[in-house]
Amino acid sequence: MTAVPSLPTRPDTVRPAYRSIDPATGKLVAEVPTATDAEAEEALAAADAAFRAWRSRPVQERAAVAARVGELFAERADELAAIATQEMGKPLSEAREEAQFCAEIFAYFAEHGPALAADQPLPTPHRTGRAVLQRRPVGVLLGIMPWNYPYYQVARFAAPNLVLGNTILLKHAESCPRSAQALQQLLDDAGVPAGAYRTLFATHAQIERLIADPRVQGVSLTGSERAGSAVAAIAGRHLKKAVLELGGSDPYVVLDTDDVAASAQAAFATRMGNTGQACNSNKRMIVFSGIFEEFVAELTRQAAALVPGDPSDGAEGTYAPMASRAAAETLAAQIREAVEAGATLHTGGTLAEGPGAYLAPAVLTGVTAEMAAYHQELFGPVAVVYEADSDEEALALANDTPYGLGGAVFSTDPARARELAERLECGMANVNAAEAEGAGMPFGGVKRSGYGRELGPLGMDEFVNKRLLYIND
């Protein structure tokens, strides 16, 4: 038997912490020290040991546990929402919806998972033989998750893989330790066996060693291009499967409309979801010239009318803080650089005084390909609007981006909208809808938005051994 190397140890002298800071006030709420190397090794060993038993249980039993996880998400939606709101500034109603969506995701895979993992008979070249395509779990998986959807991002990775029989080590964002702890408690209470889902407050060095360890069979990351590139490089060096969901700068094309104001209001509401901090948000609005000025005027009116508010209150006419002061400062700098380069700022873009992470919602036009903002992802409450004179110009603008996550096309003529949507270079194209959200809808992108898919039938087809079983009769 080949010896399995353990994680190298290091002296436990410096223990940086995962820190929960309320972005509305800038105050420290909680901190959790990072794991020691001994703790990281223990978590990996436990996940590896749990895999042997978990994969041997009938898929229906694993699905029943997933169903209970979904039930607890629904039961604890208010509790989970309060944590996310204080930890990353998400409006309370949106945080509650996120927890409820997690309930739907686990329920989906509990119901459909056994059929999606079932053996699939194949035609054979021999009259007497029988062939079956089997879907078998592969082992311990490492999940590296972000702060913008502290529950949903985990659920869409964990649910299908737990039903398959894989086990999970989960490294959450350094700013979300309380969300991570609440998730661990929920899965424990639902009956997920010890070690089968394990939160690890790991350092970056520990993550690199975990990916390299032969007991880890794959890694899934949702985050920045920089993080995705680093993780993919390590995974590739060690021949590990990776799924990456990275940035996005989704086009939102409005070809025509019967009600310009209503269309602009819908576009703005979409852009402000999660205070603009969503990978597949409509970061680039492309509007036909005949309605462009009125569309921009309504966006500006919507943005200018908002004032800072308490995200736990969610009062009408207010906007929430971004997830951190640093994120707000970065976005403010991007806006300022665009304006200095010649873009027009119609409203917003200013940081509130004090330690809070409030950035006034902004509307930008006149962004050109010579500006950095044209190519960057503006991750926050900024509506960037481009003018197009033809369907071909709109399509060229839509595809002129290094990203390829999602895209949407709107028109009173569905056939016209579909014809353009068919040519979008993205992983998720929508006609007369901002997005198709649902547990059964695959999520993922192309180009620099990453690769692989989560949710839906494809969500169970990433970290799986698609094994051929042939029987010669």
Side-chain angles (χ1 to χ4, degrees):
M1 179 181 294
T2 302
V4 176
S6 62
L7 290 167
T9 59
R10 60 171 169 80
D12 295 328
T13 52
V14 179
R15 296 285 301 281
Y18 281 51
R19 307 176 80 233
S20 177
I21 297 175
D22 186 340
T25 64
K27 293 182 179 178
L28 177 67
V29 177
E31 59 182 7
V32 178
T34 55
T36 64
D37 288 335
E39 289 168 342
E41 166 58 30
E42 185 276 327
L44 176 54
D48 186 52
F51 171 62
R52 313 299 162 189
W54 184 239
R55 70 174 179 180
S56 299
R57 292 174 63 172
V59 66
Q60 290 80 8
E61 289 187 15
R62 298 194 297 265
V65 174
R68 182 57 184 152
V69 173
E71 292 169 355
L72 290 183
F73 262 112
E75 292 174 13
R76 299 180 184 179
D78 289 343
E79 171 190 337
L80 295 170
I83 294 172
T85 294
Q86 187 178 49
E87 196 151 58
M88 55 77 58
K90 189 188 301 287
L92 187 62
S93 61
E94 293 185 27
R96 187 179 298 110
E97 290 170 0
E98 180 182 342
Q100 292 166 342
F101 189 24
C102 293
E104 295 173 18
I105 290 171
F106 273 92
Y108 171 88
F109 286 106
E111 178 181 356
H112 299 285
L116 292 172
D119 291 351
Q120 177 184 342
L122 298 174
T124 69
H126 307 291
R127 292 181 180 178
T128 57
R130 287 177 291 146
V132 176
L133 178 63
Q134 300 176 314
R135 286 177 169 82
R136 297 291 185 263
V138 294
V140 181
L141 305 176
L142 175 63
I144 304 172
M145 297 294 129
W147 47 260
N148 58 332
Y149 290 93
Y151 307 127
Y152 160 62
Q153 306 279 10
V154 176
R156 70 187 196 188
F157 164 61
N161 284 301
L162 286 173
V163 173
L164 274 169
N166 294 318
T167 55
I168 292 170
L169 284 176
L170 202 291
K171 183 237 178 267
H172 220 310
E174 285 89 341
S175 60
C176 294
R178 295 176 63 225
S179 296
Q181 291 170 329
L183 280 174
Q184 182 69 65
Q185 188 64 57
L186 189 153
L187 270 74
D188 289 346
D189 292 347
V192 175
Y197 177 94
R198 182 72 170 266
T199 298
L200 184 62
F201 296 108
T203 65
H204 291 180
Q206 288 168 347
I207 288 299
E208 183 170 354
R209 295 196 295 270
L210 285 167
I211 297 173
D213 194 288
R215 290 167 289 182
V216 172
Q217 297 300 305
V219 55
S220 178
L221 175 139
T222 296
S224 68
E225 287 179 81
R226 180 180 177 183
S229 178
V231 165
I234 300 167
R237 190 159 63 245
H238 296 283
L239 303 178
K240 303 292 178 71
K241 172 71 178 288
V243 168
L244 304 177
E245 195 272 278
L246 309 178
S249 192
D250 291 7
Y252 185 98
V253 183
V254 183
L255 299 176
D256 59 71
T257 175
D258 289 331
D259 190 332
V260 177
S263 294
Q265 290 162 16
F268 184 73
T270 300
R271 187 67 187 96
M272 285 298 291
N274 206 33
T275 317
Q277 301 165 116
C279 296
N280 62 328
S281 184
N282 53 337
K283 300 185 180 79
R284 294 180 302 128
M285 302 179 193
I286 301 166
V287 181
F288 254 57
S289 55
I291 58 174
F292 178 80
E293 290 187 8
E294 185 180 350
F295 194 96
V296 170
E298 181 59 26
L299 286 176
T300 303
R301 191 185 72 80
Q302 292 281 318
L306 298 177
V307 297
D310 183 346
S312 64
D313 183 305
E316 188 174 350
T318 64
Y319 63 90
M322 293 181 62
S324 70
R325 181 74 182 188
E329 290 172 350
T330 296
L331 185 58
Q334 289 176 298
I335 295 169
R336 184 171 60 253
E337 289 170 8
V339 172
E340 290 172 352
T344 299
L345 178 62
H346 296 261
T347 189
T350 55
L351 278 168
E353 296 293 331
Y358 290 92
L359 184 136
V363 177
L364 273 176
T365 61
V367 175
T368 66
E370 292 72 34
M371 302 176 189
Y374 184 90
H375 308 281
Q376 295 170 335
E377 178 182 25
L378 301 185
F379 206 67
V382 183
V384 182
V385 196
Y386 298 85
E387 185 174 6
D389 291 321
S390 68
D391 289 23
E392 289 302 318
E393 184 180 4
L395 180 66
L397 281 167
N399 288 335
D400 190 15
T401 171
Y403 300 103
L405 193 53
V409 184
F410 293 81
S411 174
T412 56
D413 180 352
R416 179 189 178 194
R418 176 170 178 172
E419 194 280 329
L420 195 150
E422 290 277 10
R423 300 159 67 193
L424 291 177
E425 297 168 355
C426 62
M428 302 172 289
N430 306 280
V431 173
N432 287 336
E435 60 183 357
E437 185 177 274
M441 299 290 103
F443 190 103
V446 295
K447 300 198 283 188
R448 295 191 69 84
S449 289
Y451 44 79
R453 294 294 182 269
E454 295 177 303
L455 298 179
L458 301 184
M460 290 193 69
D461 240 17
E462 293 290 352
F463 297 105
V464 62
N465 176 12
K466 298 163 191 165
R467 188 176 73 171
L468 172 67
L469 174 64
Y470 177 73
I471 302 169
N472 185 0
D473 292 325

